Amino acid sequence: MSVQQTAGPDPYFPANGDPRYRVHRYELALDYRPAPNRLSGTARLNAIAGRSPLAEFQLNLADFRIGRIRVDGKAAHYTHRGGRLRVRPAKPVRAGAAFTVEVQWSGNPKPVHSPWGGIGWEELEDGALVASQPVGSPSWYPCNDRPADKAAYQISVTTPSAYAVVAGGRLLTRTAKASTTTWVYEQAAPTSSYLVGLSIGKYQTVLLGDPGLGGVPQSGHLPARLLPEFSRDFARQPAMMELFEDLFGPYPFGEYAVVVTDEELDVPVEAQGLSLFGANHVDGARGSERLIAHELAHQWFGNSVSIADWRHIWLNEGLAKYAEWLWSERSGGRPAHQLAGVAHRKLSALPQDLLLSDPGRKLMFDDRLYERGGLTVHAVRCALGDEAFFRMLRGWTALHRGGAVTTSVFTAHVARYAAEPLDGLFTAWLYETALPAPPAPAVRLPARPSYPPTTTDPARVRGE
């Protein structure tokens, strides 16, 4: 595992996160009442100070009422303004020392402001969901909100028993008391704060496929009315999982869940071990299958192998975009090279002002970043050839599992699999704005049994 921590604040979001310490475990105990949209919680953070003593440190938390804050069991002084919770322990934390922080908070959660509108905790017509990329986590819990500060999580949520709670990770217990139920989830794998997913709603749970011995358990959580369409749209996800494990290496987490909310979402959202879709992404005609592939691929690219800061977001989105093309290629659709050609023609008609290696906050979610990112991965595939390319990808996910990386770490990794230097390729695609010529044709994947079967077998999606 590798963790590439940046020394200072994230250049795109300097108010978020504190590089002077790191958290290795969060324990969140939440109580949520949907009707009044009322959230109260207690967080316990187990953290380690950096190379200097901590006379004070910062957490990010939106506009909630603070009950108390303790550091190592002792009351701490704090100020709370503009989403920054500045904590001053009774006694400075020694350099390199382990310490604990306990925070109690309550209020009405709502999305935090961002250049893309409100993000984070979203109150639904009947329930709630969290979609935090990139800086929405403080909308519901106190955190060191930087993507490279990855930690294990235990999340306990108490809510009225009519509602199901879905979070990324393994469901440890579900305990009913009178009119409420408490759900406890554990995510042991290192997780970035923005990738802590949560959904609360009236869902039916179904199992996707039969994982068998050693397979990945996959579940869907959705309104019962959407089950017929969901059964067709997600029937090929187990085959996607099988293909991606073949191409990218073992699935990095213990399980994978998808949630379909009963409302429309602009785009699906990935979380660790969990993806969130809107009802508009379920049509019974596999109209969003490329998005199902994209979100699943993020479990390897973005979630297990995370970015050190937001300048490197193309590593998440470019590799997930390319996974869409690989799924198409392997499932009887258009080959990746043809899809790369479509993307290149699209980009050639658009402004050439995006620097993939450092797009800036304004362009970090621009459609061009996704398409150019996919093209860059395709250019690498063309340069390496299939055998070396897929060895490179499996090596990447294995070497950096649970860690955080940068663009330069990726280019150095790729170079180890190349027969000749790729400096020119990376300069053109990553460090210049002009669109390079289309990558030369690549050989198609070696012939293997096709993924998936050409007919849908709805029986592979069964109710629990």
Side-chain angles (χ1 to χ4, degrees):
M1 183 184 84
S2 72
V3 177
Q4 301 285 330
Q5 286 272 22
T6 47
D10 189 299
Y12 292 2
F13 302 99
N16 284 63
D18 188 335
R20 295 173 296 175
Y21 71 98
R22 60 186 177 87
V23 184
H24 62 87
R25 181 174 174 81
Y26 289 81
E27 294 173 359
L28 307 179
L30 310 175
D31 187 293
Y32 180 64
R33 304 303 155 120
N37 185 40
R38 181 76 180 171
L39 177 71
S40 59
T42 301
R44 179 183 174 91
L45 287 65
N46 297 314
I48 299 174
R51 296 178 180 177
S52 302
L54 289 177
E56 56 88 28
F57 57 89
Q58 174 185 301
L59 293 164
N60 292 105
L61 182 65
D63 186 20
F64 289 98
R65 186 176 66 81
I66 304 296
R68 72 172 186 220
I69 297 181
R70 292 181 176 177
V71 177
D72 289 334
K74 296 179 180 177
H77 296 282
Y78 66 90
T79 60
H80 186 206
R81 292 188 205 93
R84 295 192 199 193
L85 185 57
R86 298 185 186 276
V87 180
R88 193 167 83 250
K91 190 165 94 175
V93 178
R94 297 190 322 276
F99 64 103
T100 60
V101 186
E102 294 175 64
V103 182
Q104 287 184 345
W105 75 102
S106 60
N108 301 105
K110 61 184 184 226
V112 296
H113 296 297
S114 83
W116 308 276
I119 55 172
W121 187 284
E122 193 77 47
E123 181 187 6
L124 304 178
E125 205 148 300
D126 195 14
L129 68 81
V130 171
S132 292
Q133 189 178 16
V135 288
S137 305
S139 68
W140 64 289
Y141 76 100
C143 56
N144 190 14
D145 193 28
R146 47 193 284 118
D149 193 17
K150 303 176 71 170
Y153 281 79
Q154 184 177 102
I155 303 175
S156 167
V157 183
T158 300
T159 199
S161 295
Y163 294 86
V165 175
V166 186
R170 184 162 61 96
L171 178 61
L172 297 182
T173 60
R174 182 175 62 190
T175 308
K177 293 181 184 175
S179 61
T180 65
T181 299
T182 299
W183 306 66
V184 181
Y185 285 87
E186 177 80 24
Q187 177 56 268
T191 305
S192 299
S193 52
Y194 82 93
L195 289 170
V196 182
L198 181 68
S199 185
I200 299 170
K202 294 175 180 174
Y203 298 131
Q204 179 169 338
T205 296
V206 298
L207 304 179
L208 286 86
D210 181 357
L213 289 174
V216 180
Q218 298 174 63
S219 59
H221 309 269
L222 61 147
R225 69 178 182 85
L226 293 175
L227 185 57
E229 293 84 357
F230 178 90
S231 296
R232 177 170 175 79
D233 291 343
F234 283 80
R236 307 211 298 181
Q237 185 180 279
M240 261 180 216
M241 178 71 79
E242 192 176 345
L243 174 63
F244 288 172
E245 285 200 299
D246 187 27
L247 299 182
F248 309 147
Y251 178 73
F253 309 116
E255 53 286 298
Y256 182 57
V258 293
V259 171
V260 179
T261 74
D262 209 0
E263 299 190 20
E264 294 195 356
L265 299 181
D266 290 340
V267 292
V269 181
E270 75 271 15
Q272 189 114 321
L274 172 70
S275 294
L276 303 167
F277 294 82
N280 52 310
H281 299 123
V282 177
D283 60 8
R286 295 187 188 144
S288 296
E289 190 167 84
R290 72 170 186 86
L291 300 176
I292 296 171
H294 186 102
E295 301 311 321
L296 176 58
H298 269 312
Q299 303 305 320
W300 286 265
F301 307 116
N303 298 8
S304 176
V305 183
S306 303
I307 48 176
D309 64 59
W310 290 107
R311 289 173 295 184
H312 312 287
I313 187 172
W314 84 271
L315 286 169
N316 296 0
E317 302 303 346
L319 284 158
K321 169 61 72 172
Y322 200 67
E324 295 178 30
W325 300 352
L326 290 171
W327 170 249
S328 174
E329 181 170 271
R330 287 298 285 270
S331 63
R334 288 186 289 178
H337 189 69
Q338 195 177 114
L339 293 168
V342 172
H344 194 277
R345 287 191 292 277
K346 184 193 299 183
L347 287 176
S348 65
L350 297 172
Q352 308 289 312
D353 61 353
L354 183 137
L355 192 66
L356 199 60
S357 62
D358 189 1
R361 190 168 78 168
K362 185 178 176 184
L363 297 179
M364 62 184 281
F365 295 118
D366 193 290
D367 284 347
R368 292 172 297 165
L369 181 134
Y370 293 64
E371 302 290 346
R372 183 162 177 151
L375 277 167
T376 301
V377 177
H378 189 64
V380 169
R381 181 184 179 188
C382 291
L384 295 184
D386 275 4
E387 194 276 330
F389 174 74
F390 289 107
R391 271 197 303 116
M392 181 277 294
L393 282 186
R394 287 189 293 270
W396 177 248
T397 61
L399 184 62
H400 299 290
R401 180 170 176 156
V405 296
T406 64
T407 296
S408 61
V409 171
F410 179 74
T411 57
H413 176 81
V414 172
R416 290 197 282 274
Y417 294 80
E420 48 192 55
L422 298 179
D423 298 10
L425 182 154
F426 288 131
T427 297
W429 284 101
L430 295 172
Y431 300 106
E432 295 176 353
T433 57
L435 183 66
V443 179
R444 284 194 65 170
L445 283 163
R448 294 177 187 168
S450 65
Y451 293 98
T454 53
T455 58
T456 304
D457 179 6
R460 298 186 72 177
V461 182
R462 64 184 193 275
E464 184 186 54

